[in-house]
Amino acid sequence: MFEVEMKARVTNLHALHEFLSSNNFEKKTYETIDYYFKHPCRDFIPRDEELRVRIEKENNIPRILVTYKGSSLSKDRSAREEIEIPVTSIGIIKLLMGLGFEIDLVKRKKGFIFSKKDLKISVCEVSGILQRKLINLGHFVEVEKLVKRKEDINHAREEILNILRSLPGVGGIETKYYTELVKELAEKTHI
C-alpha cells in the first residue's frame, strides 16, 4: 500500500470547518500520539524512513499501530510506502526499547477527520515533544489517499493538490514532515 498525502497550514480554521461540514463529509473526532524511534544500527534520517508506534482514538475508539514508512517516492515527499500493523498493547514500546530502539520524538495531533469515499481530510492541531520540551506547530489540514499500485500515485497527488487548492482557509503546501518541523522549531528556541 502507498500513502499519498499532502498537508498545508490552516489560515482560517472556522472557514475550513464550515466548508467541510457543509459538503457532506462524515466527521469524526480524533487524537493521535506518535512515538518515533531511532534504530540502534542505522540512521533513519538520511534514508528518509520512519518507525513509529501510534496510539490513536477516533470517536473515542482506541487503536494501537506500529508503522514503518519507507523513503519518499516523489520529490514533493507526498508518497511513501507504508506498512502498518495493528497491535493490542502499548507494551510494543517497551519491546522496541528492549531491542535497542530509542524514542526520538513524540508527536501529538488532535482534531477532526472528514471523510468521503476513499478520501480523508484531517484538520488538526499539531505539537511535539523533543528533549522534554513541548513544541507547538499550530493547525494543519492533511489530505490523504491510499493507493495499491505505484502507477496510481501521480493521479492521487494531482487529485489531492486540486482539493487542497479548493479549500478555504488554507495556506501553502508544507513538504516537511512534522518531525522535521518540530526539530527545526526546537533548534530555534534553543532546546
Side-chain angles (χ1 to χ4, degrees):
M1 207 56 126
F2 299 96
E3 176 192 55
V4 184
E5 178 183 300
M6 293 179 154
K7 65 180 172 290
R9 289 195 181 272
V10 173
T11 58
N12 186 329
L13 193 58
H14 179 73
L16 180 58
H17 271 277
E18 286 293 315
F19 177 83
L20 292 170
S21 295
S22 65
N23 278 284
N24 300 318
F25 281 89
E26 179 187 336
K27 181 180 176 181
K28 295 188 242 181
T29 60
Y30 88 105
E31 181 175 1
T32 64
I33 300 174
D34 293 333
Y35 295 86
Y36 289 87
F37 288 88
K38 291 181 185 178
H39 192 285
C41 302
R42 91 187 203 198
D43 190 352
F44 284 151
I45 293 171
R47 300 170 71 96
D48 194 24
E49 297 172 308
E50 292 179 345
L51 175 66
R52 76 168 184 228
V53 173
R54 169 171 282 180
I55 301 167
E56 71 178 11
K57 285 184 188 175
E58 283 188 20
N59 281 348
N60 289 320
I61 299 169
R63 192 165 78 143
I64 303 166
L65 301 162
V66 177
T67 306
Y68 164 79
K69 290 191 176 198
S71 59
S72 182
L73 300 171
S74 60
K75 287 183 181 182
D76 66 2
R77 303 171 96 187
S78 62
R80 301 171 92 172
E81 179 181 21
E82 181 174 279
I83 302 168
E84 199 161 63
I85 302 166
V87 295
T88 57
S89 169
I90 61 169
I92 189 69
I93 292 171
K94 196 171 185 179
L95 182 143
L96 289 170
M97 292 177 76
L99 292 171
F101 288 84
E102 295 177 24
I103 295 174
D104 181 35
L105 186 142
V106 179
K107 178 187 79 191
R108 181 175 180 248
K109 295 194 300 187
K110 185 174 184 176
F112 298 94
I113 294 174
F114 296 86
S115 55
K116 190 189 291 187
K117 298 181 182 174
D118 64 344
L119 184 66
K120 184 167 96 172
I121 300 175
S122 304
V123 179
C124 55
E125 185 173 13
V126 183
S127 60
I129 299 173
L130 182 66
Q131 300 173 6
R132 300 180 189 223
K133 299 285 184 179
L134 179 64
I135 307 296
N136 289 307
L137 296 178
H139 287 90
F140 287 83
V141 59
E142 305 169 358
V143 181
E144 175 186 321
K145 283 190 84 162
L146 295 176
V147 296
K148 293 181 181 178
R149 304 176 322 151
K150 273 189 180 181
E151 301 84 52
D152 298 329
I153 289 173
N154 283 336
H155 181 266
R157 281 179 58 248
E158 286 302 315
E159 183 180 351
I160 289 169
L161 195 54
N162 288 334
I163 290 166
L164 275 172
R165 288 178 179 150
S166 72
L167 294 174
V170 174
I173 304 295
E174 176 58 66
T175 59
K176 293 180 181 175
Y177 303 132
Y178 290 125
T179 52
E180 292 171 322
L181 294 171
V182 166
K183 289 177 181 181
E184 283 179 9
L185 192 53
E187 280 182 24
K188 289 178 183 175
T189 56
H190 305 294
I191 290 183

